[in-house]
Structure formats: structure tokens, C-alpha cells
Amino acid sequence: MQGRALLIGNWKMNKTVEGSAGHARTLIRALEDWWDPKLVQVVLAPTALAIAAVGRILAGTDIAVAGQNLELGTEGALTGGISGYLLYEAGARWVIVGHSERRQHFAEDDALITEKVKAAWQAGLNAVVCIGETEAERNQGATERVVRQQLNLLLAGPLKGGLTIAYEPVWAIGSGRVPEPEEVAEIAAIIHGEVGARWPEAENRVAVLYGGSVNAKNLGGFLNQADVGGALIGGASLAAGEMAAMVRAAQQEGPRAR
Ligand code: PEP
């Protein structure tokens, strides 16, 4: 039996509001007539300014919208901040938390990321938390230690909302380099093991995605691994044709039932 794959397109700081809306329209057309949302769940994360416009275009389809980040709290003196409640109001039902670019450029650490996940749940959003080692950590053989460390605080409290964990080796993001699917499978099994140890009743509710230079050609290799439930996709999600090709690959190839 085939499981349901989850594909999340992270558009980062790309596309205007109009460009994002156009991209959503093109993708809807490209998926028409063949995409089965029961087999592949699709989520798009446009820039925050485009969430409402993209959400309006996707209304009535099975494609959901995500924020790329949120701040803590609901409202208050936080210039430039966007809360989970504002994301939800704009139409998002998902939010990416702790992307390596935010860890690197905005000094987000595991404590803040854990608080952001709680804020996401309070706002009714599914949280997608990114974890993964840097190239230096990989070269030191520290991948497993880093992944367990990044999960530690996150899994310490109770599970109170939707949680997806994206394993994204930092060195693979935007680089065109990818780990072997079997290496991803090993890490995905470790993540599932940690989740199952902390929340035995919820192990199967927490999907593990792979992210880092995914495209329509290599996606199937990752989805064929047990424990890998989908992908978080950056660059390749910016072209509607490539996104549609990834949905097709996911529909045909995975993920394997656990
Ligand atoms: C990402 O930034 O989450 C990502 C996976 O990017 P890319 O697919 O471009 O490597």
C-alpha cells in the first residue's frame, strides 16, 4: 500500500505578489486532471506578503499555503514581526520553522525554534521544523549527534499540534549536492526513533521529509526509502513545471508504507 507523500515548496524571498499568484495558477493548471491529493499532499510557502493572494487562488483546491517563518506572540511591539495568528488569518495553515537560513542569518537556536513551534500550534498552524548538519559537522562524523541534539528540546514537551520534521543537510541546500538516499533513510529512522521514544502514541503522526537540492529526477530515490514521507523543496519549486513533475514522481513512486 502506498503512503501519502507530502511536498512543500519553499519559495523563500522570491517572486512578487503577482508572480506568486501567477505561479499558483500555473501549478493548478499543470496538476489538473491527474493529481490525486490523497496520494500527494502539496503545500506552497510564498513570501509572507503573497500568502493572502496565493491563498485566494488556491481556495477550493487541495493545495495548502505555508508561512516561511513566524514570530512569538500574537501582537505587540515587534517591528517587522509576523505572528502565527497573522499567518493564519492570511490563509496559511502551515509554517516552516527553524530553516537553516534562519538559524544562520537570524541566530535562531533550538530554544527559540521550540517556542516558535508552540506559537504555531497555538495559532492553529502545522509546524515544519528543519534540522540538519553543516558540512563541517558531517565531515567530523557528527551528523547523528547534531540531529539528536536539534530534536532534544523540540521533543521535550507534549505534542500539541501538527508537526513535520524536515531533515535538510545544510551542505545540500541550494548546492546541487545530495546525500545518498540510504543515508537519508538512516537519519529518518533515527528521527522516527526519537519521536517514538518521546511520544509513542504519536510516532506515525510525525512525518519526516528530506530537503536539499531535490528535483523531479532525484525525488523518487528519497521517497523510496522507508521513513521518508516527502520533501521540502526550495529552488526546484520555483518553476511550476518542475513542481508538477515532482508531484507526478511522488504520485508514482512513494513513499513506501512503513
Ligand atoms: C531549502 O532551502 O529548504 C531547500 C531544500 O532548498 P533547495 O531545494 O534549493 O536545496
Side-chain angles (χ1 to χ4, degrees):
M1 202 186 78
Q2 191 184 35
R4 189 185 194 203
L6 169 59
L7 298 187
I8 304 177
N10 176 11
W11 299 351
K12 308 192 184 183
M13 199 169 68
N14 293 296
K15 298 187 187 294
T16 60
V17 173
E18 211 175 304
S20 300
H23 182 88
R25 274 193 215 95
T26 308
L27 184 62
I28 291 170
R29 277 198 300 275
L31 300 180
E32 222 167 22
D33 298 332
W34 60 267
W35 168 47
D36 183 351
K38 290 196 285 307
L39 294 179
V40 185
Q41 186 173 14
V42 180
V43 179
L44 304 177
T47 171
L49 289 174
I51 288 174
V54 169
R56 277 193 295 275
I57 285 157
L58 298 178
T61 76
D62 286 296
I63 305 175
V65 187
Q68 299 176 8
N69 174 46
L70 80 167
E71 300 301 339
L72 301 181
T74 52
E75 58 181 9
L78 191 65
T79 303
I82 298 177
S83 69
Y85 289 87
L86 295 174
L87 292 175
Y88 190 98
E89 188 199 30
R93 294 295 176 266
W94 295 72
V95 63
I96 299 168
V97 184
H99 190 281
S100 63
E101 287 153 13
R102 296 210 61 90
R103 291 178 190 259
Q104 186 188 344
H105 301 298
F106 298 89
E108 295 199 359
D109 60 13
D110 295 330
L112 177 61
I113 289 162
T114 300
E115 290 309 307
K116 286 191 172 192
V117 170
K118 291 182 197 160
W121 289 341
Q122 269 164 15
L125 298 168
N126 292 300
V128 182
V129 177
C130 303
I131 61 173
E133 81 286 0
T134 62
E135 182 145 40
E137 289 163 341
R138 175 183 166 88
N139 291 341
Q140 289 156 15
T143 298
E144 186 178 330
R145 180 182 57 73
V146 168
V147 164
R148 287 190 197 277
Q149 173 71 35
Q150 289 174 332
L151 289 174
N152 196 33
L153 275 179
L154 178 67
L155 305 183
L159 179 68
K160 288 199 167 163
L163 179 64
T164 298
I165 296 171
Y167 169 55
E168 299 208 306
V170 179
W171 53 272
I173 294 177
S175 67
R177 294 158 56 210
V178 291
E180 292 300 323
E182 293 74 17
E183 292 177 74
V184 173
E186 270 174 42
I187 300 298
I190 288 168
I191 297 169
H192 274 292
E194 288 285 333
V195 171
R198 309 288 181 111
W199 303 318
E201 72 294 346
E203 191 198 346
N204 290 326
R205 276 174 43 207
V206 178
V208 176
L209 311 183
Y210 168 70
S213 297
V214 168
N215 56 42
K217 281 206 182 83
N218 64 23
L219 175 63
F222 297 111
L223 295 185
N224 277 323
Q225 305 300 316
D227 288 324
V228 178
L232 178 54
I233 305 146
S237 73
L238 293 173
E242 183 74 3
M243 187 69 190
M246 289 186 281
V247 175
R248 192 179 286 281
Q251 190 156 307
Q252 287 166 350
E253 300 193 46
R256 273 186 13 204
R258 300 191 58 229

